[in-house]
Amino acid sequence: MSFKPKVALSNDFLLQLAKLPAKVHTKVMKWAIQFQADPKSPGINYENINGARDPNLKSVRLDGDWRGIVFKPSAGDVYVLLYVDHHDDAYRWAENRKLTINPVTGAMQMLTFESVTQQVPDEAPSAKAAVAEGVVEDSVATVAPTLFGEMEDRDLMSLGVPQELLGFVRSIASEDELDAKQAQLPTEAYEGLFLVAAGDTVSQVLNARETRVDKVIDTQDFAAALATPESQSRFVVVSDDESMTAILNAPLAQWRVFLHPTQKKLTVGDRSGPVRVLGGAGTGKTVLAMHRAKWLAENRTEANQKVLVTTFTKNLATDIEQNLRTLCSSETFAKLEVRNLDAWVNAFMRSRKLEHRIVYDRKQDAAHQAWQAALAVKDSSLDLPDNFYESELEQVVLAQGITTLDQYRTARRTGRGVILSRAKRDAVWPVFEEYRGQLASRKLKEVDDAYREVAEVLGSEAEKSKPLYSAIVADETQDLGPQALRLLRALVPAGPNDLFFVGDGHQRIYSRNKAAMSRCGIDIRGRAKKLYLNYRTTDEIRRQAVALLEGCEIDDLDDGHDETKRYKSLSHGPAPTVLNVEGIEAAAKHAIEFVRQWNTALDDGVPLSFCVIASSEKSRDAMAGLMQSAGLRCIAITAQSNHADAHDVVHLATMHRAKGLEFDCVIVVAPKGYLAIPEETETQRKLLYVALTRAKRGAMLLIQG
């Protein structure tokens, strides 16, 4: 009985594929599909690479000028598409590379020897052993200590350090040097070393990844190596033409295929109850949420049920739906429902013949009239300003689902500033009662009240009907208020794999929605996880964005605090440009120059994506007009469309609309007031954080005086 060989793609191959001219791209795709069908076909002419460190790396002719680099094993049936480029460049890439298996983790690792040719760590004793054996002279006592010099070989390799790089890693003397040498290390190795340097133990790192280091590893078994989470963060096995075509048609979206080991662990397997995953901007939370939804749909959802994937904003829900269509088979996608929560609630109310419209903006005509009528009944003797009543409504009455005076008398008012006696609460309450009555007469309902009432309906029907969903996956959880969380809790019965939340307190831009999960019936004890590595934004941009939040309170979505010092970006680039400008014309001038400079600096021929992110629609539109006058094609991101497929344009968005999106470069335009006293501008500073962290490579912050 013969078995079909396994064919895998590397992330380097997909990166290169994205850079190819259209004609070559099509040709490579056609060849790759044929290769997947039969890598042993006589029509594939494998050629040796002179001087290559790895004899298993072969070149294949794609046409007269282009070559593919393939791992063709001397034994076994694993073939890997590693790289594609011009003839000479492809050979040059392959000469100093070697595909190996880590003898402790069992992961496949691609090594680059260009910077480590002087060391032979396999034969040289470790620094620790050398001292013990008296090999190192007395002068060693004066040598500056290194970060990892005292660690055992096995511990370093269990973190993902290749055996060939042990000496290289032991020479690292500081975290700055670790950052500088990051490109020469596998991602899991860099992350593990970074966390150990930050104070974690090796065991803590391995537990977070679920990496086993207690098994015997066959360093020639590449089939087994491909099954490890570490390998799957760099290589993906394609089993049929459909899978190959889907991956090759979207090579820029590598996240659809590759997950880091820490992410992978969180996406698969059963959980005893609700899970909350925290992570800063760019740590892959949305990616993780989509893969979790996919796993649940494929493994824990019956044919007549669905997994609900939800979030706060319509734009992000649309983006997630589009990406899930690419990530999932048609059969799996049929078991998913993707909808932002407001849309879901509106649809539910319509299905129950409820005619109320939801109020999203209290300043709109009918809602404004209702609120003014309510304020007219306030007790003037209390001497409380109008904005007190509005914040009390949002933060106490609506947030806690209070519907009666008795409930209001005993309600928690922590952090409200104004102390209210029982008598004063009795005097305040008529305003809220009148407001709800005024809304009802106009067939309107506050969004939090709508959420609460829908949750009550679901609760009353729970015993009579089958649950609507097998599980729920929620993105951008920090934007969901208490009633939204209670609604999600009511939508699916408590039990294994029921709720999966991802979020980031740094990005809480709707202050009225602050909520603690435990107060909403969602117990995440023992199932609270964190992601630390930023895969999108350079560390320079990340640091600038984090600096804007100094003095702001960052919560963990469950009455605790989150910290920023352990977050880290994998990529590096120029520091963001921060300028004070006078007027929108000056801002546009700097933005135009920024776009042109980055386009001029292109070195790989792949067009860059740009977005101007403004504080308001008025500012956004003014910037668009001025930039279009300068000859730049501009397109606005709105509630109706994020124009994700638009190329060779400058996107423009408000800070709220840009949430969840990403671009190569962003220009953020904000009023000077956004950087006033942190305690008074927390929401504005978090908006700036969100806006800056949409950037992958370059950023400019323009502060209008």
Side-chain angles (χ1 to χ4, degrees):
M1 185 177 180
S2 62
F3 294 92
K4 184 178 181 296
K6 284 188 177 180
V7 175
L9 306 176
S10 75
N11 53 358
D12 284 332
F13 178 83
L14 291 183
L15 273 173
Q16 283 298 109
L17 184 62
K19 299 176 182 179
L20 298 180
K23 290 184 179 179
V24 181
H25 185 282
T26 301
K27 187 176 294 185
V28 173
M29 285 182 59
K30 183 178 179 180
W31 176 87
I33 292 170
Q34 293 173 342
F35 182 86
Q36 185 277 324
D38 185 10
K40 294 183 176 181
S41 169
I44 300 173
N45 184 24
Y46 294 104
E47 298 178 1
N48 293 326
I49 301 170
N50 293 331
R53 289 180 174 270
D54 188 346
N56 290 327
L57 298 194
K58 310 292 184 181
S59 75
V60 292
R61 183 186 297 270
L62 304 179
D63 69 7
D65 297 323
W66 296 85
R67 297 290 185 272
I69 304 299
V70 177
F71 174 81
K72 180 181 181 295
S74 55
D77 284 318
V78 171
Y79 292 75
V80 188
L81 301 184
L82 296 170
Y83 201 70
V84 59
D85 210 333
H86 282 283
H87 180 282
D88 292 345
D89 293 329
Y91 282 173
R92 196 174 299 112
W93 182 91
E95 284 171 356
N96 291 319
R97 283 174 168 81
K98 182 180 181 181
L99 192 64
T100 68
I101 295 177
N102 186 301
V104 176
T105 66
M108 265 170 44
Q109 298 181 317
M110 177 60 73
L111 305 183
T112 303
F113 287 92
E114 293 166 336
S115 301
V116 294
T117 53
Q118 300 303 312
Q119 61 167 311
V120 190
D122 299 271
E123 301 174 3
S126 69
K128 188 175 181 178
V131 171
E133 296 170 12
V135 175
V136 181
E137 299 180 0
D138 293 339
S139 61
V140 74
T142 64
V143 176
T146 60
L147 284 179
F148 313 108
E150 295 297 306
M151 292 183 64
E152 300 287 349
D153 288 0
R154 185 172 180 83
D155 285 341
L156 287 172
M157 286 189 286
S158 71
L159 294 175
V161 178
Q163 189 171 15
E164 293 85 348
L165 300 187
L166 290 173
F168 174 70
V169 167
R170 284 203 173 89
S171 71
I172 296 173
S174 66
E175 291 189 38
D176 287 343
E177 189 176 346
L178 174 62
D179 287 346
K181 295 179 175 180
Q182 171 196 327
Q184 296 155 46
L185 295 165
T187 299
E188 74 269 16
Y190 173 79
E191 180 199 46
L193 294 169
F194 160 67
L195 291 174
V196 167
D200 279 7
T201 65
V202 173
S203 294
Q204 286 174 320
V205 176
L206 298 183
N207 287 337
R209 297 177 180 172
E210 221 169 49
T211 297
R212 288 186 58 193
V213 296
D214 58 347
K215 56 189 183 295
V216 177
I217 301 299
D218 181 353
T219 56
Q220 298 301 314
D221 189 348
F222 286 90
L226 276 172
T228 65
E230 293 85 355
S231 295
Q232 291 169 2
S233 69
R234 292 180 293 274
F235 305 92
V236 58
V237 177
V238 285
S239 56
D240 52 51
D241 292 355
E242 183 182 0
S243 301
M244 176 68 84
T245 302
I247 293 169
L248 296 182
N249 276 331
L252 286 173
Q254 288 186 64
W255 53 262
R256 296 188 180 108
V257 179
F258 302 106
L259 287 175
H260 186 269
T262 304
Q263 296 174 322
K264 183 75 172 180
K265 178 192 174 182
L266 294 172
T267 64
V268 302
D270 293 311
R271 302 292 183 269
S272 59
V275 174
R276 182 223 62 197
V277 181
L278 283 184
T283 53
K285 299 182 300 297
T286 301
V287 174
L288 187 148
M290 288 189 287
H291 279 268
R292 179 62 178 171
K294 176 178 181 285
W295 187 89
L296 289 167
E298 291 175 340
N299 298 279
R300 296 294 182 269
T301 303
E302 298 176 6
N304 59 345
Q305 281 193 309
K306 290 190 175 186
V307 176
L308 175 65
V309 183
T310 191
T311 188
F312 188 72
T313 64
K314 180 182 178 181
N315 289 71
L316 183 55
T318 300
D319 197 51
I320 289 172
E321 181 176 12
Q322 292 170 348
N323 290 323
L324 279 170
R325 287 185 184 275
T326 302
L327 178 66
C328 301
S329 67
S330 55
E331 183 181 0
T332 298
F333 187 78
K335 293 183 177 181
L336 298 172
E337 181 180 333
V338 186
R339 192 178 296 188
N340 70 299
L341 198 54
D342 284 351
W344 189 95
V345 169
N346 274 303
F348 183 89
M349 292 173 67
R350 287 195 303 272
S351 72
R352 301 306 173 92
K353 305 290 192 287
L354 300 173
E355 298 179 2
H356 290 83
R357 291 182 292 112
I358 294 178
V359 173
Y360 297 107
D361 186 353
R362 216 167 286 123
K363 295 182 177 66
Q364 292 182 347
D365 290 342
H368 179 71
Q369 293 168 9
W371 183 243
Q372 292 304 309
L375 290 176
V377 307
K378 69 181 183 181
D379 189 336
S380 58
S381 67
L382 295 177
D383 196 28
L384 294 171
D386 290 353
N387 61 2
F388 165 83
Y389 288 91
E390 188 162 19
S391 61
E392 186 80 354
L393 172 71
E394 292 175 353
Q395 298 177 27
V396 180
V397 177
L398 294 175
Q400 296 180 41
I402 295 170
T403 59
T404 68
L405 175 59
D406 285 342
Q407 292 174 336
Y408 184 57
R409 286 170 174 166
T410 58
R412 302 185 310 277
R413 300 186 63 259
T414 307
R416 289 291 294 129
V418 178
I419 298 174
L420 296 181
S421 64
R422 176 167 176 161
K424 287 184 177 180
R425 295 193 189 201
D426 287 357
V428 165
W429 178 253
V431 173
F432 309 134
E433 196 168 47
E434 178 67 20
Y435 177 56
R436 280 175 165 149
Q438 290 284 340
L439 288 180
S441 69
R442 296 169 171 82
K443 293 188 175 182
L444 298 174
K445 195 175 293 293
E446 279 278 345
V447 61
D448 288 306
D449 279 343
Y451 284 3
R452 173 181 54 78
E453 291 179 15
V454 170
E456 290 172 354
V457 171
L458 291 170
S460 67
E461 297 177 351
E463 295 183 1
K464 305 175 187 176
S465 58
K466 189 175 181 179
L468 294 175
Y469 302 102
S470 63
I472 296 174
V473 176
D475 192 17
E476 303 285 5
T477 305
Q478 75 279 350
D479 293 333
L480 300 177
Q483 298 307 326
L485 291 178
R486 292 187 180 104
L487 170 58
L488 293 178
R489 177 65 285 172
L491 266 172
V492 63
N497 306 316
D498 53 353
L499 296 166
F500 190 90
F501 299 94
V502 300
D504 176 20
H506 301 79
Q507 300 184 64
R508 190 189 296 281
I509 60 177
Y510 303 99
S511 57
R512 61 172 288 184
N513 287 344
K514 186 174 182 178
M517 304 182 81
S518 57
R519 296 181 185 270
C520 302
I522 300 169
D523 185 1
I524 59 170
R525 289 176 297 178
R527 296 179 298 277
K529 309 295 181 182
K530 282 190 179 183
L531 300 172
Y532 292 107
L533 284 188
N534 184 318
Y535 301 92
R536 177 201 304 143
T537 303
T538 68
D539 209 51
E540 290 75 13
I541 296 173
R542 183 197 63 81
R543 288 199 300 268
Q544 178 67 64
V546 169
L548 296 170
L549 298 179
E550 187 174 353
C552 299
E553 180 182 348
I554 310 299
D555 68 280
D556 67 353
L557 318 186
D558 198 34
D559 273 345
H561 296 278
D562 194 14
E563 43 81 31
T564 60
K565 65 179 182 179
R566 296 181 59 137
Y567 290 115
K568 195 81 169 179
S569 292
L570 283 177
S571 60
H572 292 272
T577 301
V578 182
L579 297 174
N580 292 304
V581 297
E582 295 293 333
I584 198 71
E585 292 82 4
K589 179 181 177 181
H590 285 292
I592 293 164
E593 185 180 356
F594 178 86
V595 171
R596 288 172 173 168
Q597 285 179 343
W598 272 90
N599 276 330
T600 302
L602 280 177
D603 57 359
D604 55 15
V606 180
L608 297 176
S609 57
F610 294 90
C611 189
V612 175
I613 305 176
S615 57
S616 67
E617 291 183 0
K618 181 180 179 181
S619 179
R620 178 200 69 190
D621 294 342
M623 289 290 294
L626 291 164
M627 297 181 77
Q628 285 185 146
S629 298
L632 296 176
R633 185 178 166 227
C634 298
I635 190 166
I637 295 170
T638 66
Q640 288 69 44
S641 177
N642 62 21
H643 298 284
D645 298 329
H647 300 288
D648 297 323
V649 302
V650 176
H651 294 82
L652 294 104
T654 64
M655 295 178 183
H656 290 87
R657 288 293 171 210
K659 203 167 191 294
L661 305 178
E662 62 179 43
F663 306 88
D664 289 309
C665 302
V666 302
I667 303 104
V668 181
V669 185
K672 185 179 180 181
Y674 273 40
L675 294 177
I677 300 172
E679 291 80 5
E680 299 177 358
T681 58
E682 183 172 307
T683 298
Q684 290 86 347
R685 287 172 176 266
K686 288 180 177 179
L687 280 167
L688 288 176
Y689 173 90
V690 169
L692 275 179
T693 54
R694 301 310 92 197
K696 293 188 286 186
R697 299 172 62 173
M700 172 180 277
L701 175 58
L702 301 173
I703 304 298
Q704 287 183 273

